[in-house]
Amino acid sequence: MVTMTSVTLGDVRVVRSVDVQSYVGLKPSTARKSVSLLRRTETRPLMVVRASKEGDISVKSSGLSIEESEAAAVAGNFPDPPPPWRPSAPKGTPNVKPLPLTRRPRRNRKSPTLRDAFQETNLSASNLVLPLFIHEGEEDVPIGAMPGCYRLGWRHGLLEEVYKARDVGVNSIVLFPKIPDALKSQAGDEAFNDNGLVPRAIRLLKDKYPDIVIYTDVALDPYSSDGHDGIVREDGVIMNDETVHQLCKQAVSQARAGADVVSPSDMMDGRVSAIRAALDAEGFQEVSIMSYTAKYASSFYGPFREALDSNPRFGDKKTYQMNPANYREALVETEADEVEGADILLVKPAMPYLDVVRLLRDNSALPIAAYQVSGEYSMIKAGGALKMVDEEKVMMESLLCIRRAGADIILTYFARQAASVLCGMKSK
Ligand code: PBG
């Protein structure tokens, strides 16, 4: 069971080997007992646990080859044990008795191998979804407010960008179209034109890269002359059920073109069940729904609206998107989306809303997505360009933290750049 040997070093008793390994394989009740026994024993006042093994780590290797080491060992020349010295501390360091700590969490952080072994969260290219802006033109047009992002020509730039993303392991994309003003209308009918920009782009991509996973955005804003996600009544109200009717047609049109996951980002009530029923009625049982479950009325969407020229013509989106002050309300949306048949629940934005990501993670068994939105992306880019932060490190940390909060997948404009870093390539 618990083996504890103590040796005496000067006037300090040191607990040497607490055999935690021996708990493995014990019955849970026995293990619990042993742990509590261990705790009781460990808190006895006289016992002091040695701080760390810095001394051992700074021991130099003899520099022998494997063969030389083996030969030396066969000849009976074993290396000496690490010397009991401690590296010297700078002048002025106070000389103190070691603190009588039971827990020293730093022990588990003392070398890169241990740190890697105990890393709780990981990021891989398979967790990333790359949002792409497309337009009817031939050129790729840089988006001023989003350095490194372009409105891609759907025939050329789009295919090339997807090729580069796949090259670093990103095989999931989400499409956002910039629609010419002439095709926008109050009811947003262009959203379900089977030969519209998005269905055409999906067909082209699926033909070129059949194994790619294409997510689509389901909302009227790129197609609405009012710049809202739904149909606007004369008194300014965004009409719910009438909008849902349009969204169903939009989702079916995208599914028909070959979309894998349709993603309602509009925040109308009841749209998930209506879209599910519409897809099923057309035979698209296998098409998934990623619902923007907790989408907040956020100022972090600013650069995106510039990219698509989709700013609301009047007012804001506060009657359908959630109030940034609200947390519990995300549960109301979660319950509705689960009951209505969503396959994936999304939180948006991501970094300022990590508590909401965790809330959904803890309250649903469904996969959770988080959208690191345009404003989050541009702030990191700007901070990097101004040399205020290390862009690459902050990018990777932000994504890891979103994973830690509980997101399975992350929609991020950094997808390709981050995946390059993960492959050990230069990020830009
Ligand atoms: C709208 C939509 C928005 C984004 C994705 N879909 C903007 C909005 O709600 O106004 C924002 C994404 C981003 O900022 O990166 N359907």
Side-chain angles (χ1 to χ4, degrees), residues 50 52-61 82-83 85 87 106-107 109-115:
R50 227 179 116 195
S52 68
K53 290 187 162 184
E54 294 111 334
D56 302 5
I57 285 165
S58 57
V59 167
K60 291 269 181 305
S61 161
W85 61 277
R106 288 183 57 189
R107 274 194 287 271
R109 303 180 203 133
K110 70 187 164 198
S111 77
T113 303
L114 284 168
R115 287 195 293 276

Side-chain angles (χ1 to χ4, degrees), residues 205-404:
L205 283 171
K206 277 285 171 180
D207 182 58
K208 182 89 186 75
Y209 311 110
D211 66 332
I212 195 178
V213 172
I214 301 181
Y215 294 69
T216 58
D217 189 55
V218 180
L220 296 186
D221 52 327
Y223 310 91
S224 153
S225 44
D226 294 312
H228 275 285
D229 290 19
I231 300 173
V232 186
R233 210 166 58 188
E234 74 173 332
D235 58 357
V237 167
I238 313 299
M239 303 174 79
N240 193 86
D241 302 13
E242 295 75 3
T243 298
V244 170
H245 179 86
Q246 300 291 77
L247 299 176
C248 288
K249 292 170 112 177
Q250 182 180 19
V252 167
S253 169
Q254 294 168 345
R256 213 178 270 134
D260 299 281
V261 184
V262 298
S263 324
S265 68
D266 55 287
M267 292 300 279
M268 297 300 120
D269 295 331
R271 87 280 209 216
V272 172
S273 57
I275 290 173
R276 185 69 271 159
L279 290 171
D280 291 352
E282 297 280 332
F284 296 114
Q285 276 77 8
E286 80 287 2
V287 171
S288 316
I289 299 178
M290 176 170 75
S291 176
Y292 285 58
T293 298
K295 177 175 182 181
Y296 286 86
S298 171
S299 300
F300 286 93
Y301 307 148
F304 174 97
R305 292 183 189 170
E306 186 209 297
L308 294 191
D309 191 18
S310 67
N311 258 302
R313 203 168 46 78
F314 64 89
D316 49 44
K317 299 190 174 184
K318 290 181 184 167
T319 67
Y320 44 108
Q321 299 178 347
M322 282 175 58
N323 180 347
N326 289 1
Y327 175 78
R328 273 181 290 123
E329 194 183 350
L331 284 180
V332 176
E333 293 284 0
T334 302
E335 265 168 49
D337 284 353
E338 282 210 320
V339 170
E340 292 182 36
D343 298 286
I344 308 165
L345 307 178
L346 183 143
V347 176
K348 175 180 178 182
M351 274 244 277
Y353 296 84
L354 292 184
D355 56 332
V356 182
V357 174
R358 171 51 56 189
L359 180 71
L360 265 62
R361 166 75 298 142
D362 288 345
N363 284 281
S364 175
L366 291 173
I368 305 297
Y371 196 146
Q372 183 178 54
V373 300
S374 54
E376 299 177 70
Y377 169 84
S378 297
M379 288 197 311
I380 294 176
K381 281 282 177 191
L386 292 172
K387 305 238 179 297
M388 289 174 171
V389 293
D390 180 322
E391 176 186 319
E392 188 176 300
K393 290 201 172 107
V394 170
M395 163 184 78
M396 297 309 280
E397 182 177 331
S398 70
L399 296 171
L400 187 66
C401 292
I402 295 167
R403 292 269 298 143
R404 189 202 61 229

